[in-house]
Amino acid sequence: MGCDGGTIPKRHELVKGPKKVEKVDKDAELVAQWNYCTLSQEILRRPIVACELGRLYNKDAVIEFLLDKSSEKALGKAASHIKSIKNVTELRLSDNPAWEGDKGNTKGDKHDDLQRARFICPVVGLEMNGRHRFCFLRCCGCVFSERALKEIKAEVCHTCGAAFQEDDVIVLNGTKEDVEVLKSRMEERRLRAKLGKKTKKPKAAESVSKSDVSEGPSKMKTGKPEETSLDTREKKTNSAPKSAAHGIASGKAAKRSIADSEESEAYKSLFTTHSSAKRSKEESAHWVTHTSYCF
C-alpha cells in the first residue's frame, strides 16, 4: 500500500465520505454584525450610521467609499445600494454604563463577555448585543429595542419626541425576510422621490411663464423705460453747465460789487482785490518759488 516505515493507515484516511458542512458560530456572527463595520470590517466607532436595510457602518468608511471613484472600487452587496450620504442615517446611541471595554484587560488574560454590549435601549434597558431585536427611526436616528415600541405604543419618538410613521421604523441587522421588506420599502421611497422631482420642474416653468405674462401689460401701459431714462439723463446734462456758468457769473459780480461798493477803506482792505494787497515789482520776489519767510 506504500506505507513505508511501518505506518498503519486508519479507515477515514482510506475511505472518503461526504464532507461535513461547516457551521457558523452564532456568537461570532453576532459579534461581527453588532461590533464591526459592514463595509470596512473595523470596530464600530462614533459617528455610527445605518443604511435603509439596517446595516451598521462607520461614517468615515461610507464617505471614503463614496469619494473613491477608481476602477478598482469594490462594489459588494454591503454598500451597492448606497448612492449618496443621504441614504444613511446617523444613529443616536445610548451608552451602556456596565460596559468596560478593554480598560481592565491590559494583560490580555481577562475573559471577554460577549453578552455585554456597548449600547443599550434607553427605554427598556436591554443591551444591544444581538440577542434582542433593535430598530431606529429614519426621521431622527434614535435607537431603541423593538420591545419598547410594542410596550409603549406612540406616534412620537420615545427619546426626542419627533413624530414618525411605520415606514420610518427600520430593524437593525434583521433576518432575510426583514431585509426583503426593507428593500421593497427603499425602492418605493426612491421612486416617489424621483416622481416628486419631475413634478416640481413643470410647476417651476409655469410660474416663470406666468410672471412673464404679468410683466407684459404693465410695460405697455407705462411706456418704454429706456426712453424715459434717456430723457432724464439729457435733462440732467443740460442743467449741469447752466448751473456752473451761473456760479462763475455770480462770483465775478460779487468781486465787482465789493470793489465798486461805497464801503470804508478798512473793510475793502480785507479782500485781495484792494490796491493795498497788490505789491510792486520791487517788493515781489525775483524767484519763482518763495515762502512767506522771505518778506
Side-chain angles (χ1 to χ4, degrees), residues 33-40 42-51 54-63 85 88-95 99 118-120 128 136-137 140-143 172-173:
Q33 286 181 348
W34 293 93
N35 294 330
Y36 290 87
C37 173
T38 310
L39 187 61
S40 63
E42 296 179 356
I43 296 175
L44 289 171
R45 58 184 181 275
R46 283 191 171 96
I48 299 171
V49 297
C51 65
R55 294 167 184 158
L56 299 173
Y57 306 88
N58 286 327
K59 192 173 184 180
D60 299 339
V62 174
I63 293 171
I85 198 67
V88 295
T89 306
E90 187 171 347
L91 301 181
R92 296 180 180 179
L93 297 163
S94 302
D95 294 325
W99 188 75
R118 293 170 58 190
F119 310 108
I120 60 171
M128 199 172 75
F136 76 96
L137 301 179
C140 59
C142 295
V143 180
L172 290 171
N173 292 325

mmCIF file of all heavy atoms in Angstrom, residues 33-40 42-51 54-63 85 88-95 99 118-120 128 136-137 140-143 172-173:
data_model
loop_
_atom_site.group_PDB
_atom_site.id
_atom_site.type_symbol
_atom_site.label_atom_id
_atom_site.label_comp_id
_atom_site.label_asym_id
_atom_site.label_seq_id
_atom_site.Cartn_x
_atom_site.Cartn_y
_atom_site.Cartn_z
ATOM 1 N N GLN A 33 -21.638 41.311 13.464
ATOM 2 C CA GLN A 33 -22.714 42.188 12.977
ATOM 3 C C GLN A 33 -22.886 43.438 13.834
ATOM 4 O O GLN A 33 -23.139 44.519 13.303
ATOM 5 C CB GLN A 33 -24.035 41.413 12.930
ATOM 6 C CG GLN A 33 -24.126 40.417 11.799
ATOM 7 C CD GLN A 33 -25.459 39.710 11.781
ATOM 8 O OE1 GLN A 33 -26.247 39.799 12.730
ATOM 9 N NE2 GLN A 33 -25.729 38.981 10.704
ATOM 10 N N TRP A 34 -22.754 43.303 15.147
ATOM 11 C CA TRP A 34 -23.089 44.386 16.059
ATOM 12 C C TRP A 34 -21.882 45.185 16.554
ATOM 13 O O TRP A 34 -22.062 46.229 17.177
ATOM 14 C CB TRP A 34 -23.852 43.853 17.263
ATOM 15 C CG TRP A 34 -25.198 43.326 16.901
ATOM 16 C CD1 TRP A 34 -25.525 42.050 16.585
ATOM 17 C CD2 TRP A 34 -26.417 44.071 16.775
ATOM 18 N NE1 TRP A 34 -26.849 41.932 16.285
ATOM 19 C CE2 TRP A 34 -27.438 43.171 16.393
ATOM 20 C CE3 TRP A 34 -26.752 45.415 16.956
ATOM 21 C CZ2 TRP A 34 -28.744 43.563 16.185
ATOM 22 C CZ3 TRP A 34 -28.068 45.809 16.763
ATOM 23 C CH2 TRP A 34 -29.051 44.891 16.385
ATOM 24 N N ASN A 35 -20.687 44.712 16.311
ATOM 25 C CA ASN A 35 -19.493 45.406 16.807
ATOM 26 C C ASN A 35 -18.535 45.858 15.713
ATOM 27 O O ASN A 35 -17.588 46.592 16.005
ATOM 28 C CB ASN A 35 -18.719 44.507 17.785
ATOM 29 C CG ASN A 35 -19.495 44.237 19.049
ATOM 30 O OD1 ASN A 35 -20.301 45.056 19.492
ATOM 31 N ND2 ASN A 35 -19.286 43.068 19.648
ATOM 32 N N TYR A 36 -18.761 45.416 14.463
ATOM 33 C CA TYR A 36 -17.830 45.743 13.386
ATOM 34 C C TYR A 36 -18.582 46.399 12.219
ATOM 35 O O TYR A 36 -19.755 46.112 11.981
ATOM 36 C CB TYR A 36 -17.094 44.495 12.899
ATOM 37 C CG TYR A 36 -16.109 43.948 13.907
ATOM 38 C CD1 TYR A 36 -16.522 43.047 14.891
ATOM 39 C CD2 TYR A 36 -14.781 44.340 13.885
ATOM 40 C CE1 TYR A 36 -15.631 42.545 15.821
ATOM 41 C CE2 TYR A 36 -13.881 43.841 14.819
ATOM 42 C CZ TYR A 36 -14.304 42.950 15.780
ATOM 43 O OH TYR A 36 -13.414 42.465 16.721
ATOM 44 N N CYS A 37 -17.863 47.255 11.505
ATOM 45 C CA CYS A 37 -18.436 47.943 10.343
ATOM 46 C C CYS A 37 -18.644 46.939 9.215
ATOM 47 O O CYS A 37 -17.758 46.118 8.922
ATOM 48 C CB CYS A 37 -17.513 49.070 9.901
ATOM 49 S SG CYS A 37 -17.995 49.880 8.353
ATOM 50 N N THR A 38 -19.795 47.007 8.550
ATOM 51 C CA THR A 38 -20.105 46.075 7.462
ATOM 52 C C THR A 38 -19.247 46.323 6.241
ATOM 53 O O THR A 38 -18.965 45.397 5.479
ATOM 54 C CB THR A 38 -21.593 46.201 7.082
ATOM 55 O OG1 THR A 38 -22.394 46.124 8.262
ATOM 56 C CG2 THR A 38 -22.029 45.111 6.134
ATOM 57 N N LEU A 39 -18.789 47.552 6.052
ATOM 58 C CA LEU A 39 -18.027 47.911 4.853
ATOM 59 C C LEU A 39 -16.528 47.725 5.033
ATOM 60 O O LEU A 39 -15.873 47.083 4.216
ATOM 61 C CB LEU A 39 -18.340 49.366 4.473
ATOM 62 C CG LEU A 39 -17.764 49.882 3.160
ATOM 63 C CD1 LEU A 39 -18.301 49.065 1.988
ATOM 64 C CD2 LEU A 39 -18.108 51.343 2.977
ATOM 65 N N SER A 40 -15.971 48.264 6.098
ATOM 66 C CA SER A 40 -14.519 48.224 6.304
ATOM 67 C C SER A 40 -14.067 47.106 7.232
ATOM 68 O O SER A 40 -12.848 46.891 7.376
ATOM 69 C CB SER A 40 -14.050 49.566 6.870
ATOM 70 O OG SER A 40 -14.627 49.798 8.145
ATOM 71 N N GLU A 42 -13.961 47.084 10.345
ATOM 72 C CA GLU A 42 -13.276 47.642 11.507
ATOM 73 C C GLU A 42 -14.263 47.794 12.663
ATOM 74 O O GLU A 42 -15.481 47.762 12.460
ATOM 75 C CB GLU A 42 -12.653 48.994 11.171
ATOM 76 C CG GLU A 42 -11.549 48.909 10.124
ATOM 77 C CD GLU A 42 -10.976 50.269 9.803
ATOM 78 O OE1 GLU A 42 -11.503 51.280 10.351
ATOM 79 O OE2 GLU A 42 -10.030 50.345 9.005
ATOM 80 N N ILE A 43 -13.732 47.980 13.867
ATOM 81 C CA ILE A 43 -14.594 48.143 15.043
ATOM 82 C C ILE A 43 -15.428 49.418 14.891
ATOM 83 O O ILE A 43 -14.914 50.460 14.461
ATOM 84 C CB ILE A 43 -13.752 48.186 16.321
ATOM 85 C CG1 ILE A 43 -13.026 46.847 16.520
ATOM 86 C CG2 ILE A 43 -14.620 48.480 17.544
ATOM 87 C CD1 ILE A 43 -12.069 46.828 17.690
ATOM 88 N N LEU A 44 -16.698 49.314 15.240
ATOM 89 C CA LEU A 44 -17.583 50.473 15.133
ATOM 90 C C LEU A 44 -17.154 51.556 16.120
ATOM 91 O O LEU A 44 -16.911 51.291 17.293
ATOM 92 C CB LEU A 44 -19.028 50.068 15.418
ATOM 93 C CG LEU A 44 -19.723 49.214 14.355
ATOM 94 C CD1 LEU A 44 -21.057 48.712 14.877
ATOM 95 C CD2 LEU A 44 -19.910 49.989 13.063
ATOM 96 N N ARG A 45 -17.075 52.770 15.626
ATOM 97 C CA ARG A 45 -16.738 53.926 16.451
ATOM 98 C C ARG A 45 -17.578 55.109 15.965
ATOM 99 O O ARG A 45 -17.904 55.219 14.789
ATOM 100 C CB ARG A 45 -15.242 54.252 16.365
ATOM 101 C CG ARG A 45 -14.746 54.525 14.970
ATOM 102 C CD ARG A 45 -13.244 54.747 14.935
ATOM 103 N NE ARG A 45 -12.792 55.034 13.583
ATOM 104 C CZ ARG A 45 -12.497 54.119 12.674
ATOM 105 N NH1 ARG A 45 -12.615 52.830 12.974
ATOM 106 N NH2 ARG A 45 -12.091 54.463 11.456
ATOM 107 N N ARG A 46 -17.904 55.970 16.906
ATOM 108 C CA ARG A 46 -18.728 57.123 16.570
ATOM 109 C C ARG A 46 -17.981 58.068 15.617
ATOM 110 O O ARG A 46 -16.778 58.221 15.742
ATOM 111 C CB ARG A 46 -19.118 57.883 17.840
ATOM 112 C CG ARG A 46 -20.233 57.219 18.635
ATOM 113 C CD ARG A 46 -20.717 58.189 19.713
ATOM 114 N NE ARG A 46 -21.915 57.714 20.365
ATOM 115 C CZ ARG A 46 -21.930 57.038 21.507
ATOM 116 N NH1 ARG A 46 -20.798 56.744 22.102
ATOM 117 N NH2 ARG A 46 -23.062 56.639 22.048
ATOM 118 N N PRO A 47 -18.720 58.676 14.656
ATOM 119 C CA PRO A 47 -20.157 58.575 14.383
ATOM 120 C C PRO A 47 -20.501 57.289 13.630
ATOM 121 O O PRO A 47 -19.843 56.926 12.662
ATOM 122 C CB PRO A 47 -20.441 59.800 13.517
ATOM 123 C CG PRO A 47 -19.141 60.110 12.852
ATOM 124 C CD PRO A 47 -18.062 59.690 13.799
ATOM 125 N N ILE A 48 -21.556 56.625 14.095
ATOM 126 C CA ILE A 48 -22.033 55.370 13.501
ATOM 127 C C ILE A 48 -23.307 55.667 12.714
ATOM 128 O O ILE A 48 -24.195 56.384 13.188
ATOM 129 C CB ILE A 48 -22.303 54.321 14.591
ATOM 130 C CG1 ILE A 48 -21.012 54.019 15.367
ATOM 131 C CG2 ILE A 48 -22.851 53.037 13.981
ATOM 132 C CD1 ILE A 48 -21.220 53.161 16.596
ATOM 133 N N VAL A 49 -23.389 55.132 11.503
ATOM 134 C CA VAL A 49 -24.553 55.337 10.640
ATOM 135 C C VAL A 49 -25.148 53.984 10.282
ATOM 136 O O VAL A 49 -24.501 52.935 10.421
ATOM 137 C CB VAL A 49 -24.180 56.123 9.363
ATOM 138 C CG1 VAL A 49 -23.691 57.512 9.702
ATOM 139 C CG2 VAL A 49 -23.134 55.375 8.553
ATOM 140 N N ALA A 50 -26.387 54.013 9.803
ATOM 141 C CA ALA A 50 -27.087 52.805 9.364
ATOM 142 C C ALA A 50 -27.772 53.091 8.042
ATOM 143 O O ALA A 50 -28.261 54.201 7.804
ATOM 144 C CB ALA A 50 -28.107 52.354 10.409
ATOM 145 N N CYS A 51 -27.792 52.090 7.165
ATOM 146 C CA CYS A 51 -28.425 52.250 5.858
ATOM 147 C C CYS A 51 -29.907 51.920 5.963
ATOM 148 O O CYS A 51 -30.420 51.588 7.033
ATOM 149 C CB CYS A 51 -27.734 51.364 4.822
ATOM 150 S SG CYS A 51 -27.921 49.600 5.165
ATOM 151 N N GLY A 54 -30.753 48.411 7.349
ATOM 152 C CA GLY A 54 -30.494 48.092 8.743
ATOM 153 C C GLY A 54 -29.086 47.625 9.036
ATOM 154 O O GLY A 54 -28.864 47.003 10.088
ATOM 155 N N ARG A 55 -28.118 47.923 8.175
ATOM 156 C CA ARG A 55 -26.734 47.536 8.429
ATOM 157 C C ARG A 55 -25.966 48.694 9.040
ATOM 158 O O ARG A 55 -26.230 49.853 8.734
ATOM 159 C CB ARG A 55 -26.073 47.079 7.129
ATOM 160 C CG ARG A 55 -26.680 45.790 6.568
ATOM 161 C CD ARG A 55 -26.239 45.535 5.167
ATOM 162 N NE ARG A 55 -26.887 44.348 4.590
ATOM 163 C CZ ARG A 55 -27.006 44.131 3.285
ATOM 164 N NH1 ARG A 55 -26.523 45.003 2.419
ATOM 165 N NH2 ARG A 55 -27.598 43.028 2.851
ATOM 166 N N LEU A 56 -24.991 48.343 9.888
ATOM 167 C CA LEU A 56 -24.217 49.334 10.634
ATOM 168 C C LEU A 56 -22.895 49.619 9.925
ATOM 169 O O LEU A 56 -22.219 48.698 9.448
ATOM 170 C CB LEU A 56 -23.959 48.838 12.056
ATOM 171 C CG LEU A 56 -25.203 48.573 12.920
ATOM 172 C CD1 LEU A 56 -24.799 47.927 14.229
ATOM 173 C CD2 LEU A 56 -25.970 49.858 13.173
ATOM 174 N N TYR A 57 -22.535 50.918 9.891
ATOM 175 C CA TYR A 57 -21.299 51.345 9.231
ATOM 176 C C TYR A 57 -20.629 52.434 10.069
ATOM 177 O O TYR A 57 -21.288 53.144 10.838
ATOM 178 C CB TYR A 57 -21.556 51.918 7.829
ATOM 179 C CG TYR A 57 -22.325 51.023 6.898
ATOM 180 C CD1 TYR A 57 -23.723 51.046 6.878
ATOM 181 C CD2 TYR A 57 -21.662 50.172 6.016
ATOM 182 C CE1 TYR A 57 -24.429 50.234 6.012
ATOM 183 C CE2 TYR A 57 -22.379 49.357 5.146
ATOM 184 C CZ TYR A 57 -23.755 49.392 5.151
ATOM 185 O OH TYR A 57 -24.470 48.588 4.297
ATOM 186 N N ASN A 58 -19.320 52.576 9.858
ATOM 187 C CA ASN A 58 -18.622 53.779 10.310
ATOM 188 C C ASN A 58 -18.840 54.872 9.272
ATOM 189 O O ASN A 58 -18.727 54.616 8.069
ATOM 190 C CB ASN A 58 -17.122 53.502 10.473
ATOM 191 C CG ASN A 58 -16.821 52.669 11.698
ATOM 192 O OD1 ASN A 58 -17.514 52.777 12.716
ATOM 193 N ND2 ASN A 58 -15.806 51.835 11.615
ATOM 194 N N LYS A 59 -19.138 56.070 9.719
ATOM 195 C CA LYS A 59 -19.419 57.156 8.780
ATOM 196 C C LYS A 59 -18.200 57.480 7.926
ATOM 197 O O LYS A 59 -18.329 57.812 6.741
ATOM 198 C CB LYS A 59 -19.869 58.399 9.552
ATOM 199 C CG LYS A 59 -20.464 59.473 8.657
ATOM 200 C CD LYS A 59 -21.047 60.608 9.471
ATOM 201 C CE LYS A 59 -21.728 61.631 8.567
ATOM 202 N NZ LYS A 59 -22.303 62.745 9.354
ATOM 203 N N ASP A 60 -17.001 57.382 8.503
ATOM 204 C CA ASP A 60 -15.787 57.647 7.737
ATOM 205 C C ASP A 60 -15.638 56.647 6.584
ATOM 206 O O ASP A 60 -15.241 57.024 5.473
ATOM 207 C CB ASP A 60 -14.557 57.573 8.648
ATOM 208 C CG ASP A 60 -14.609 58.603 9.755
ATOM 209 O OD1 ASP A 60 -15.340 59.597 9.597
ATOM 210 O OD2 ASP A 60 -13.923 58.427 10.780
ATOM 211 N N ALA A 61 -15.953 55.390 6.841
ATOM 212 C CA ALA A 61 -15.836 54.371 5.793
ATOM 213 C C ALA A 61 -16.820 54.623 4.658
ATOM 214 O O ALA A 61 -16.491 54.432 3.480
ATOM 215 C CB ALA A 61 -16.063 52.983 6.396
ATOM 216 N N VAL A 62 -18.032 55.080 4.991
ATOM 217 C CA VAL A 62 -19.037 55.359 3.956
ATOM 218 C C VAL A 62 -18.590 56.548 3.101
ATOM 219 O O VAL A 62 -18.723 56.534 1.868
ATOM 220 C CB VAL A 62 -20.412 55.627 4.601
ATOM 221 C CG1 VAL A 62 -21.432 56.050 3.556
ATOM 222 C CG2 VAL A 62 -20.908 54.397 5.325
ATOM 223 N N ILE A 63 -18.054 57.585 3.736
ATOM 224 C CA ILE A 63 -17.602 58.757 2.985
ATOM 225 C C ILE A 63 -16.440 58.389 2.056
ATOM 226 O O ILE A 63 -16.390 58.812 0.888
ATOM 227 C CB ILE A 63 -17.200 59.885 3.955
ATOM 228 C CG1 ILE A 63 -18.440 60.401 4.693
ATOM 229 C CG2 ILE A 63 -16.510 61.021 3.217
ATOM 230 C CD1 ILE A 63 -18.135 61.347 5.822
ATOM 231 N N ILE A 85 -24.612 60.216 0.639
ATOM 232 C CA ILE A 85 -24.614 60.258 2.106
ATOM 233 C C ILE A 85 -26.039 60.409 2.650
ATOM 234 O O ILE A 85 -26.290 60.142 3.839
ATOM 235 C CB ILE A 85 -23.717 61.413 2.597
ATOM 236 C CG1 ILE A 85 -23.337 61.233 4.077
ATOM 237 C CG2 ILE A 85 -24.377 62.749 2.354
ATOM 238 C CD1 ILE A 85 -22.460 60.066 4.355
ATOM 239 N N VAL A 88 -27.931 57.178 4.181
ATOM 240 C CA VAL A 88 -27.627 56.644 5.517
ATOM 241 C C VAL A 88 -28.096 57.644 6.565
ATOM 242 O O VAL A 88 -28.243 58.834 6.296
ATOM 243 C CB VAL A 88 -26.121 56.347 5.684
ATOM 244 C CG1 VAL A 88 -25.684 55.247 4.749
ATOM 245 C CG2 VAL A 88 -25.292 57.596 5.476
ATOM 246 N N THR A 89 -28.310 57.147 7.781
ATOM 247 C CA THR A 89 -28.795 57.965 8.895
ATOM 248 C C THR A 89 -27.827 57.822 10.058
ATOM 249 O O THR A 89 -27.464 56.698 10.434
ATOM 250 C CB THR A 89 -30.197 57.523 9.335
ATOM 251 O OG1 THR A 89 -31.070 57.533 8.206
ATOM 252 C CG2 THR A 89 -30.751 58.465 10.402
ATOM 253 N N GLU A 90 -27.408 58.957 10.625
ATOM 254 C CA GLU A 90 -26.523 58.908 11.791
ATOM 255 C C GLU A 90 -27.333 58.526 13.030
ATOM 256 O O GLU A 90 -28.384 59.102 13.313
ATOM 257 C CB GLU A 90 -25.846 60.265 11.987
ATOM 258 C CG GLU A 90 -24.789 60.259 13.070
ATOM 259 C CD GLU A 90 -23.969 61.536 13.102
ATOM 260 O OE1 GLU A 90 -24.053 62.322 12.132
ATOM 261 O OE2 GLU A 90 -23.253 61.743 14.101
ATOM 262 N N LEU A 91 -26.832 57.548 13.780
ATOM 263 C CA LEU A 91 -27.578 56.972 14.905
ATOM 264 C C LEU A 91 -27.265 57.704 16.210
ATOM 265 O O LEU A 91 -26.129 58.120 16.453
ATOM 266 C CB LEU A 91 -27.223 55.494 15.061
ATOM 267 C CG LEU A 91 -27.497 54.598 13.845
ATOM 268 C CD1 LEU A 91 -27.111 53.174 14.156
ATOM 269 C CD2 LEU A 91 -28.956 54.671 13.415
ATOM 270 N N ARG A 92 -28.316 57.839 17.031
ATOM 271 C CA ARG A 92 -28.180 58.373 18.395
ATOM 272 C C ARG A 92 -28.239 57.195 19.363
ATOM 273 O O ARG A 92 -29.311 56.686 19.671
ATOM 274 C CB ARG A 92 -29.296 59.369 18.690
ATOM 275 C CG ARG A 92 -29.274 60.609 17.817
ATOM 276 C CD ARG A 92 -30.413 61.535 18.196
ATOM 277 N NE ARG A 92 -30.430 62.742 17.388
ATOM 278 C CZ ARG A 92 -31.336 63.712 17.515
ATOM 279 N NH1 ARG A 92 -32.304 63.587 18.434
ATOM 280 N NH2 ARG A 92 -31.294 64.787 16.747
ATOM 281 N N LEU A 93 -27.073 56.762 19.813
ATOM 282 C CA LEU A 93 -26.962 55.570 20.641
ATOM 283 C C LEU A 93 -26.782 55.939 22.104
ATOM 284 O O LEU A 93 -26.133 56.936 22.427
ATOM 285 C CB LEU A 93 -25.781 54.721 20.162
ATOM 286 C CG LEU A 93 -25.908 54.188 18.726
ATOM 287 C CD1 LEU A 93 -24.552 53.746 18.211
ATOM 288 C CD2 LEU A 93 -26.899 53.042 18.664
ATOM 289 N N SER A 94 -27.342 55.097 22.977
ATOM 290 C CA SER A 94 -27.225 55.294 24.434
ATOM 291 C C SER A 94 -26.158 54.350 24.972
ATOM 292 O O SER A 94 -26.218 53.138 24.751
ATOM 293 C CB SER A 94 -28.564 55.023 25.125
ATOM 294 O OG SER A 94 -29.577 55.865 24.610
ATOM 295 N N ASP A 95 -25.157 54.899 25.673
ATOM 296 C CA ASP A 95 -24.046 54.099 26.191
ATOM 297 C C ASP A 95 -24.513 53.187 27.325
ATOM 298 O O ASP A 95 -25.409 53.537 28.108
ATOM 299 C CB ASP A 95 -22.924 55.004 26.681
ATOM 300 C CG ASP A 95 -22.277 55.777 25.546
ATOM 301 O OD1 ASP A 95 -22.176 55.211 24.443
ATOM 302 O OD2 ASP A 95 -21.886 56.943 25.755
ATOM 303 N N TRP A 99 -20.625 48.528 30.621
ATOM 304 C CA TRP A 99 -19.610 48.068 29.660
ATOM 305 C C TRP A 99 -18.288 48.756 29.939
ATOM 306 O O TRP A 99 -18.203 49.991 29.956
ATOM 307 C CB TRP A 99 -20.072 48.369 28.239
ATOM 308 C CG TRP A 99 -19.198 47.778 27.186
ATOM 309 C CD1 TRP A 99 -19.132 46.476 26.814
ATOM 310 C CD2 TRP A 99 -18.271 48.480 26.354
ATOM 311 N NE1 TRP A 99 -18.224 46.303 25.801
ATOM 312 C CE2 TRP A 99 -17.674 47.521 25.495
ATOM 313 C CE3 TRP A 99 -17.886 49.812 26.248
ATOM 314 C CZ2 TRP A 99 -16.715 47.863 24.549
ATOM 315 C CZ3 TRP A 99 -16.929 50.157 25.304
ATOM 316 C CH2 TRP A 99 -16.353 49.191 24.470
ATOM 317 N N ARG A 118 -21.909 47.598 24.081
ATOM 318 C CA ARG A 118 -21.543 48.998 24.303
ATOM 319 C C ARG A 118 -22.765 49.893 24.476
ATOM 320 O O ARG A 118 -22.700 50.906 25.169
ATOM 321 C CB ARG A 118 -20.713 49.513 23.127
ATOM 322 C CG ARG A 118 -19.348 48.870 22.984
ATOM 323 C CD ARG A 118 -18.704 49.253 21.656
ATOM 324 N NE ARG A 118 -18.582 50.693 21.519
ATOM 325 C CZ ARG A 118 -18.224 51.311 20.387
ATOM 326 N NH1 ARG A 118 -17.970 50.600 19.305
ATOM 327 N NH2 ARG A 118 -18.121 52.625 20.350
ATOM 328 N N PHE A 119 -23.870 49.499 23.854
ATOM 329 C CA PHE A 119 -25.055 50.364 23.840
ATOM 330 C C PHE A 119 -26.266 49.595 24.366
ATOM 331 O O PHE A 119 -26.311 48.358 24.286
ATOM 332 C CB PHE A 119 -25.324 50.871 22.423
ATOM 333 C CG PHE A 119 -24.125 51.465 21.749
ATOM 334 C CD1 PHE A 119 -23.493 50.800 20.711
ATOM 335 C CD2 PHE A 119 -23.596 52.679 22.180
ATOM 336 C CE1 PHE A 119 -22.384 51.346 20.096
ATOM 337 C CE2 PHE A 119 -22.486 53.221 21.574
ATOM 338 C CZ PHE A 119 -21.874 52.549 20.537
ATOM 339 N N ILE A 120 -27.223 50.353 24.893
ATOM 340 C CA ILE A 120 -28.444 49.763 25.436
ATOM 341 C C ILE A 120 -29.650 50.541 24.928
ATOM 342 O O ILE A 120 -29.522 51.628 24.338
ATOM 343 C CB ILE A 120 -28.433 49.774 26.986
ATOM 344 C CG1 ILE A 120 -28.319 51.220 27.502
ATOM 345 C CG2 ILE A 120 -27.332 48.899 27.529
ATOM 346 C CD1 ILE A 120 -28.514 51.336 29.000
ATOM 347 N N MET A 128 -27.732 45.981 23.468
ATOM 348 C CA MET A 128 -27.758 45.810 22.009
ATOM 349 C C MET A 128 -26.636 44.845 21.601
ATOM 350 O O MET A 128 -25.623 45.238 21.014
ATOM 351 C CB MET A 128 -27.579 47.171 21.326
ATOM 352 C CG MET A 128 -28.040 47.194 19.871
ATOM 353 S SD MET A 128 -28.039 48.850 19.158
ATOM 354 C CE MET A 128 -26.285 49.117 18.918
ATOM 355 N N PHE A 136 -34.266 51.555 14.525
ATOM 356 C CA PHE A 136 -34.021 53.002 14.597
ATOM 357 C C PHE A 136 -35.015 53.720 13.698
ATOM 358 O O PHE A 136 -35.652 53.104 12.827
ATOM 359 C CB PHE A 136 -32.579 53.333 14.197
ATOM 360 C CG PHE A 136 -32.315 53.278 12.719
ATOM 361 C CD1 PHE A 136 -32.364 54.416 11.938
ATOM 362 C CD2 PHE A 136 -31.998 52.070 12.107
ATOM 363 C CE1 PHE A 136 -32.119 54.362 10.582
ATOM 364 C CE2 PHE A 136 -31.745 52.012 10.746
ATOM 365 C CZ PHE A 136 -31.804 53.156 9.981
ATOM 366 N N LEU A 137 -35.153 55.012 13.926
ATOM 367 C CA LEU A 137 -36.081 55.845 13.156
ATOM 368 C C LEU A 137 -35.307 56.674 12.146
ATOM 369 O O LEU A 137 -34.307 57.314 12.479
ATOM 370 C CB LEU A 137 -36.868 56.764 14.097
ATOM 371 C CG LEU A 137 -37.699 56.071 15.179
ATOM 372 C CD1 LEU A 137 -38.402 57.106 16.037
ATOM 373 C CD2 LEU A 137 -38.709 55.118 14.563
ATOM 374 N N CYS A 140 -35.179 60.764 12.919
ATOM 375 C CA CYS A 140 -34.324 61.365 13.949
ATOM 376 C C CYS A 140 -33.067 60.563 14.242
ATOM 377 O O CYS A 140 -32.104 61.107 14.804
ATOM 378 C CB CYS A 140 -35.113 61.550 15.244
ATOM 379 S SG CYS A 140 -35.785 60.007 15.916
ATOM 380 N N GLY A 141 -33.030 59.263 13.917
ATOM 381 C CA GLY A 141 -31.850 58.440 14.165
ATOM 382 C C GLY A 141 -31.776 57.823 15.548
ATOM 383 O O GLY A 141 -30.762 57.209 15.887
ATOM 384 N N CYS A 142 -32.822 57.952 16.366
ATOM 385 C CA CYS A 142 -32.809 57.362 17.709
ATOM 386 C C CYS A 142 -32.945 55.842 17.619
ATOM 387 O O CYS A 142 -33.691 55.320 16.791
ATOM 388 C CB CYS A 142 -33.946 57.938 18.546
ATOM 389 S SG CYS A 142 -33.778 59.703 18.875
ATOM 390 N N VAL A 143 -32.222 55.140 18.507
ATOM 391 C CA VAL A 143 -32.185 53.673 18.504
ATOM 392 C C VAL A 143 -32.796 53.160 19.800
ATOM 393 O O VAL A 143 -32.447 53.636 20.886
ATOM 394 C CB VAL A 143 -30.737 53.160 18.362
ATOM 395 C CG1 VAL A 143 -30.701 51.639 18.352
ATOM 396 C CG2 VAL A 143 -30.096 53.710 17.097
ATOM 397 N N LEU A 172 -32.587 46.830 12.786
ATOM 398 C CA LEU A 172 -31.133 46.696 12.671
ATOM 399 C C LEU A 172 -30.740 45.231 12.613
ATOM 400 O O LEU A 172 -31.166 44.434 13.466
ATOM 401 C CB LEU A 172 -30.448 47.379 13.857
ATOM 402 C CG LEU A 172 -30.498 48.909 13.901
ATOM 403 C CD1 LEU A 172 -29.981 49.415 15.240
ATOM 404 C CD2 LEU A 172 -29.698 49.513 12.762
ATOM 405 N N ASN A 173 -29.909 44.887 11.602
ATOM 406 C CA ASN A 173 -29.396 43.526 11.435
ATOM 407 C C ASN A 173 -30.525 42.491 11.527
ATOM 408 O O ASN A 173 -30.465 41.520 12.297
ATOM 409 C CB ASN A 173 -28.324 43.215 12.486
ATOM 410 C CG ASN A 173 -27.062 44.026 12.275
ATOM 411 O OD1 ASN A 173 -26.676 44.306 11.149
ATOM 412 N ND2 ASN A 173 -26.413 44.402 13.361
#
